[in-house]
Amino acid sequence: MPKILQLINEDYEIYRSVDQILEAGDWLGQLLTGKKACSASMASYKAMWTPKSGYAFETRLGELHPLLNGMVKAKLSGKIYFPGEKIGRLTAEWAERLGLKEGMAIGSSMIDAHAGIPGCGITRPGQMMLVIGTSTVQAVLENVSYQEKGIYGSVKDTVIPEYYTWESGIAAAGDVFQWFTSQCVPESYIRQAEREGEGIHKLLEKQAQTLKPGESGVMALEWWNGNKTPYIDSNRSGILVGCTLQTRPEETYPSTWRGNVRGSSSRRGN
């Protein structure tokens, strides 16, 4: 929904001319089957749809922007399918292009992290999955809905049938390391990594492992990309404390994200 509003504000002609706005996973399904179909996984966590209420916010979209009135009916068309449901069959054209059998069943798509839930064997309440990438996703199955204190997604039947999937996470993980190595590492370290034939991340990790936990005194509140839990506030920022003129990159590197605390101390910002 924020992307649709951005499109209206920045290039209304594109918004006006498109027949449908959809997630990439849904686009692939429609391409392979020739059938308009939307994933419950995508619709619920990306477009605020619920199995019980549908697009319950639809009547209030005009409060955000008058051009959003009627947007759901005009741009989000397509029957919604749940995970595991067949949305259609592979067309002859795509069967030939992909070397697959024409008419094979095509299932509903899922959000990338959510697909990891059944893939990791998370099938009952109380089990939780952690995905670490540019950011992190934590997801747990439960019997009841809950949306407070950082749990910003809680929809039933959209990942594992009969269960609600509670979702939260950390707004930046790998992104923080990328920021640090591109903005906070001197040229001498880059040259050393090249001489030793390894990447800058490997070099910093190796050097950080020679330090005892807490030895550097550097601590970080790692909200470099805002906060998901418990505040759900993308405007919050990070803090790095304990630096001196003697602080080295390997002392700061592991403290910029709480997931790696070897070599320095890390503090939760709750």
Side-chain angles (χ1 to χ4, degrees):
M1 289 302 163
K3 294 176 182 178
I4 293 175
L5 185 59
Q6 180 185 10
L7 185 60
I8 289 175
N9 287 329
E10 296 183 5
D11 201 327
Y12 174 69
E13 285 305 309
I14 292 180
Y15 172 81
R16 183 188 62 80
S17 64
V18 298
D19 173 64
Q20 189 180 18
I21 298 175
L22 68 168
E23 294 289 327
D26 290 336
W27 175 76
L28 286 171
Q30 293 188 27
L31 191 70
L32 297 176
T33 63
K35 179 179 178 181
K36 281 191 174 181
C38 296
S39 154
S41 169
M42 304 286 186
S44 58
Y45 286 88
K46 299 293 186 178
M48 296 181 283
W49 173 90
T50 68
K52 183 177 180 180
S53 305
Y55 295 103
F57 63 91
E58 183 177 359
T59 57
R60 302 193 62 182
L61 282 176
E63 296 176 24
L64 294 175
H65 196 293
L67 292 176
L68 286 175
N69 281 319
M71 183 275 297
V72 170
K73 184 177 180 180
K75 305 293 185 181
L76 301 184
S77 58
K79 181 180 176 180
I80 294 177
Y81 293 81
F82 288 90
E85 289 189 318
K86 181 183 72 176
I87 65 172
R89 295 189 177 277
L90 187 64
T91 65
E93 175 191 357
W94 280 98
E96 182 178 356
R97 293 177 69 172
L98 297 174
L100 298 174
K101 184 178 179 180
E102 179 184 352
M104 65 181 294
I106 303 297
S108 177
S109 62
M110 292 182 70
I111 293 173
D112 50 1
H114 291 184
I117 294 176
C120 290
I122 306 299
T123 58
R124 62 182 185 271
Q127 293 182 305
M128 188 178 83
M129 174 200 71
L130 168 65
V131 175
I132 302 175
T134 53
S135 60
T136 77
V137 173
Q138 284 102 334
V140 63
L141 300 179
E142 287 295 348
N143 292 307
V144 296
S145 177
Y146 180 84
Q147 285 185 287
E148 294 182 39
K149 298 181 179 179
I151 304 300
Y152 55 86
S154 176
V155 188
K156 190 177 182 180
D157 294 328
T158 55
V159 181
I160 299 293
E162 303 300 323
Y163 297 123
Y164 290 88
T165 301
W166 298 5
E167 180 187 334
S168 190
I170 299 174
D175 278 347
V176 177
F177 291 126
Q178 176 63 29
W179 163 80
F180 185 82
T181 55
S182 64
Q183 303 295 327
C184 304
V185 176
E187 181 65 25
S188 60
Y189 276 67
I190 303 297
R191 291 197 299 267
Q192 181 180 348
E194 291 174 350
R195 288 196 303 271
E196 296 182 12
E198 57 191 12
I200 187 61
H201 292 282
K202 186 67 175 180
L203 175 67
L204 290 170
E205 180 181 346
K206 182 174 65 177
Q207 293 180 339
Q209 287 176 343
T210 66
L211 303 171
K212 297 178 181 179
E215 178 180 339
S216 71
V218 177
M219 295 190 297
L221 181 66
E222 82 307 325
W223 295 346
W224 264 249
N225 196 34
N227 175 271
K228 285 186 177 181
T229 305
Y231 301 114
I232 315 182
D233 186 349
S234 61
N235 292 319
R236 292 182 182 250
S237 57
I239 300 172
L240 188 63
V241 297
C243 295
T244 71
L245 292 178
Q246 284 74 47
T247 299
R248 295 166 293 169
E250 63 266 30
E251 295 174 313
T252 309
Y253 179 75
S255 69
T256 53
W257 183 58
R258 74 174 71 138
N260 184 350
V261 299
R262 292 199 62 172
S264 67
S265 56
S266 180
R267 173 187 242 169
R268 289 189 63 120
N270 291 340

